[in-house]
Amino acid sequence: MQQHLTLSGRKLTLVVPRSVDAVLDMYIARNQGDRDPYWCRPWPSAIALAQLILQQPELVKGKRVCDIGCGLGLAGIAAALSGAKEVVMLDREPIALQCSLLSAQACGVVSVQDYTQHAEPEAASSSQHQSLPSQPDSDQQASTSQVSAQHFDWGDPSCQGNYDVALACDVLYEPYSVEPVARITPRLLNHRTGRLLLADPSHRTKANRDRFLQLLGGQPKSAMLLQESSEVTIQMDDQDSLVQLQLLRMKQGKETVGLKLSVPSQD
């Protein structure tokens, strides 16, 4: 089924599972007790980061971007619509990856690579990809960004990349996720110019976020510097949710300051 959002004047269409309960039942049937269906809906953090990117396209324009733990891929889609050269959706859930690609297609991305679902992650990561036809809404401007998906486990130390920008929304919910995400993030980025755009609930994960920043800053060869931290309010389901937006970059020498990340308003 489809869910429609309007962010910064842009109409977005997300392809989502018809039933969260059905996804949960699937995990139970497969004895995948470590999985959860929370990726099946957009959350305030993803909305806040997508909104920021749409308002400040220079953050991603012309760059290679990855969306860590992408879920439905809202932030990555915003990057594609904002002129990113390439966007790669990264998640361990094949159905989430398929939904993210179908959503990108529905939002007007011209070049979207097919992702074939398999029962085993190894098969999914090695599957062949074919281009999906773009089906944007009639009033949408098409994007020429290259969008694809890769199976990704942030606990796998072999994962590497050379992305200009990494996007991460709601990846620090659980304390046990903090260290593996902190280890893998610098490995995914260009070691000199890489940037991380992080979105997280302001209060729900503060301790985890503080620990994450501490670990990133302490990397011996790939430390990351917090440039700016801003808080925004997202209205969703008749509730106001506070989201912390943070911009980090690879630290060069004794660098301690950077560009200011302004606070977007919700349209």
Side-chain angles (χ1 to χ4, degrees):
M1 61 179 292
Q2 293 185 340
Q3 181 173 347
H4 303 284
L5 301 171
T6 299
L7 300 179
S8 301
R10 181 91 193 203
K11 294 181 180 179
L12 304 179
T13 299
L14 297 180
V15 177
V16 302
R18 290 187 178 275
S19 170
V20 174
D21 290 338
V23 175
L24 181 59
D25 290 342
M26 178 191 70
Y27 290 148
I28 294 173
R30 294 181 178 180
N31 196 30
Q32 294 176 318
D34 62 334
R35 304 293 176 100
D36 62 63
Y38 297 129
W39 61 266
C40 294
R41 58 166 290 182
W43 292 90
S45 295
I47 291 173
L49 186 53
Q51 190 168 266
L52 173 69
I53 292 170
L54 290 171
Q55 291 185 349
Q56 298 188 30
E58 66 274 10
L59 292 169
V60 297
K61 188 173 183 179
K63 302 182 185 300
R64 298 185 67 243
V65 178
C66 67
D67 191 346
I68 301 174
C70 66
L72 295 174
L74 181 55
I77 292 169
L81 297 175
S82 297
K85 179 180 180 180
E86 177 186 9
V87 177
V88 180
M89 306 292 190
L90 301 176
D91 206 291
R92 67 174 179 171
E93 176 51 67
I95 303 177
L97 293 173
Q98 184 68 10
C99 285
S100 71
L101 295 180
L102 291 172
S103 297
Q105 175 189 12
C107 288
V109 180
V110 173
S111 181
V112 180
Q113 299 299 305
D114 191 14
Y115 182 86
T116 305
Q117 297 181 37
H118 294 268
E120 297 297 327
E122 292 78 11
S125 62
S126 62
S127 63
Q128 297 295 317
H129 298 76
Q130 296 179 343
S131 293
L132 292 168
S134 177
Q135 296 178 341
D137 292 340
S138 58
D139 61 345
Q140 298 283 52
Q141 182 179 357
S143 165
T144 58
S145 176
Q146 303 284 325
V147 177
S148 62
Q150 293 181 12
H151 178 265
F152 172 79
D153 185 342
W154 57 48
D156 182 355
S158 67
C159 291
Q160 293 186 357
N162 190 35
Y163 297 101
D164 302 304
V165 180
L167 312 176
C169 306
D170 291 320
V171 298
L172 304 176
Y173 247 72
E174 302 296 343
Y176 56 74
S177 298
V178 175
E179 290 194 16
V181 176
R183 283 196 301 268
I184 201 66
T185 298
R187 296 177 186 174
L188 292 172
L189 290 168
N190 181 287
H191 72 283
R192 292 186 59 84
T193 61
R195 292 186 175 187
L196 169 66
L197 290 172
L198 178 70
D200 234 21
S202 294
H203 303 301
R204 167 66 172 80
T205 58
K206 185 179 185 305
N208 295 348
R209 188 167 58 251
D210 290 345
R211 175 62 175 158
F212 178 70
L213 296 177
Q214 180 185 33
L215 290 171
L216 283 181
Q219 300 277 1
K221 295 183 179 180
S222 55
M224 298 196 71
L225 171 72
L226 175 63
Q227 285 197 313
E228 193 68 29
S229 182
S230 302
E231 190 174 72
V232 298
T233 301
I234 298 297
Q235 292 181 340
M236 186 174 179
D237 298 332
D238 297 323
Q239 294 184 344
D240 289 343
S241 299
L242 294 176
V243 176
Q244 199 78 21
L245 290 170
Q246 296 182 319
L247 171 64
L248 298 94
R249 66 176 297 175
M250 291 297 184
K251 185 176 181 180
Q252 301 296 325
K254 298 181 179 180
E255 181 184 17
T256 58
V257 296
L259 300 175
K260 183 176 179 58
L261 181 64
S262 61
V263 179
S265 59
Q266 185 177 15
D267 292 338

